[in-house]
Amino acid sequence: SAMSDLPSRTQQLILAFVGPPEASQPAAAVKEARRDETKDDKSCGVRSATPILSPADYVLLRSGQAEAVVLRDAFLGQSSADGIHRQLQLLRSTGKLRKARMGRGLGRWNEESARGDLMCFSSELGAEQGRFLEPLRTKVKQLVRELQREVHRGSERGRMKLQDDLSMQIACYPGDGARYVRHRDSYSSPLKETARIYTAIYYVNPEYDAEGHGGALRFHFDDEDGDERTWDVQPVMDRLVLFRSDLAEHSVQ
């Protein structure tokens, strides 16, 4: 997504901290940096994966702003995305997805006018049936490691320790006006060890049509003057969206 498409405060955060472009750096430094991206990881004896997040992403996420939203297209690659899409279609056609509920514990309720998706948790699938999610799970675990290392390291961020606790939810918005009203994914204090810190949404919608399909992810922000602004992210195939669960208010249109 182009820089101009981002909320103004997000652009300012990025531009304030991003260093000089690669072309202005000494050639030897650029060559060494590229070599470091794929160097052998001696601690585990395997070759390091190409980083998912950039230095600008780290700065943005460290800012603690609600506008800190990161997009990654071609997250898994077309083949893996197609395979996941096929299996999700099968889950829906065989009745594995149920109407989503709102609230927690015994106080949960259904209200399709507020939340109209069909869903299930990956933990509800058997080991064999859920195997198709492994490419995504592996990549998300890499993302978590990067966040642990680059965003949540150091004593100043010790109160927001990021754990390897992944909860994967499968959701489908069936059309006909199905939506999810404005909300945050976590209202817990980051001081709690069990608080959800990040939400990562991965989309597998082939041939997505913004006009005919709907389902855009809309972020709600307040600008410097206190006026509300919105930013729509289209749920296109093989796109990952990462944001702070407790800060970013969003809805599904």
Side-chain angles (χ1 to χ4, degrees):
S1 180
M3 176 78 78
S4 59
D5 292 335
L6 298 173
S8 60
R9 196 179 303 175
T10 300
Q11 295 182 42
Q12 293 168 8
L13 285 167
I14 293 175
L15 293 175
F17 290 96
V18 174
E22 186 175 273
S24 67
Q25 300 178 22
V30 173
K31 183 177 181 181
E32 188 64 29
R34 286 174 174 165
R35 182 182 300 137
D36 286 346
E37 286 184 357
T38 56
K39 68 181 179 180
D40 289 338
D41 186 344
K42 296 180 180 179
S43 64
C44 59
V46 297
R47 199 167 179 81
S48 299
T50 301
I52 298 171
L53 300 175
S54 70
D57 295 328
Y58 299 146
V59 170
L60 186 63
L61 293 168
R62 288 186 194 121
S63 72
Q65 300 292 325
E67 295 90 341
V69 178
V70 174
L71 268 64
R72 278 295 173 273
D73 288 329
F75 185 67
L76 292 183
Q78 192 65 46
S79 177
S80 293
D82 286 339
I84 291 176
H85 176 255
R86 286 193 298 271
Q87 292 301 316
L88 294 183
Q89 283 185 311
L90 182 61
L91 288 179
R92 184 184 177 189
S93 65
T94 55
K96 298 295 184 182
L97 305 184
R98 62 180 182 277
K99 292 182 180 180
R101 294 185 293 174
M102 303 179 70
R104 291 184 176 184
L106 298 177
R108 292 181 178 179
W109 76 95
N110 294 104
E111 181 54 67
E112 290 187 41
S113 63
R115 181 178 180 182
D117 58 311
L118 305 173
M119 58 79 66
C120 75
F121 288 97
S122 63
S123 57
E124 298 172 26
L125 306 176
E128 185 64 33
Q129 191 175 31
R131 194 180 302 277
F132 72 95
L133 291 171
E134 280 309 304
L136 178 59
R137 192 187 307 275
T138 298
K139 199 73 176 286
V140 170
K141 285 183 177 180
Q142 178 191 338
L143 179 61
V144 171
R145 289 194 298 271
E146 290 185 24
L147 290 169
Q148 289 172 326
R149 183 179 66 247
E150 301 294 344
V151 180
H152 293 271
R153 66 180 178 182
S155 58
E156 75 278 6
R157 296 185 181 276
R159 67 185 186 88
M160 288 179 57
K161 182 179 179 182
L162 189 62
Q163 302 176 355
D164 295 321
D165 186 11
L166 301 181
S167 175
M168 298 185 71
Q169 181 183 136
I170 299 166
C172 170
Y173 285 83
D176 296 325
R179 65 183 189 127
Y180 197 164
V181 295
R182 181 174 175 173
H183 66 285
R184 293 199 302 265
D185 286 343
S186 175
Y187 289 90
S188 299
S189 166
L191 294 172
K192 292 184 177 181
E193 292 185 358
T194 57
R196 184 192 302 180
I197 299 177
Y198 290 100
T199 295
I201 303 177
Y202 178 67
Y203 292 110
V204 282
N205 296 306
E207 301 179 359
Y208 175 75
D209 175 21
E211 294 296 328
H213 293 164
L217 178 64
R218 174 169 294 176
F219 288 97
H220 302 261
F221 306 115
D222 291 331
D223 64 16
E224 293 80 356
D225 298 323
D227 297 323
E228 182 183 326
R229 295 288 183 267
T230 60
W231 178 40
D232 286 0
V233 176
Q234 304 304 328
V236 300
M237 188 74 164
D238 203 19
R239 168 174 285 177
L240 182 111
V241 186
L242 176 70
F243 55 91
R244 278 284 299 271
S245 306
D246 58 331
L247 297 178
E249 292 196 358
H250 56 287
S251 59
V252 178
Q253 302 299 303

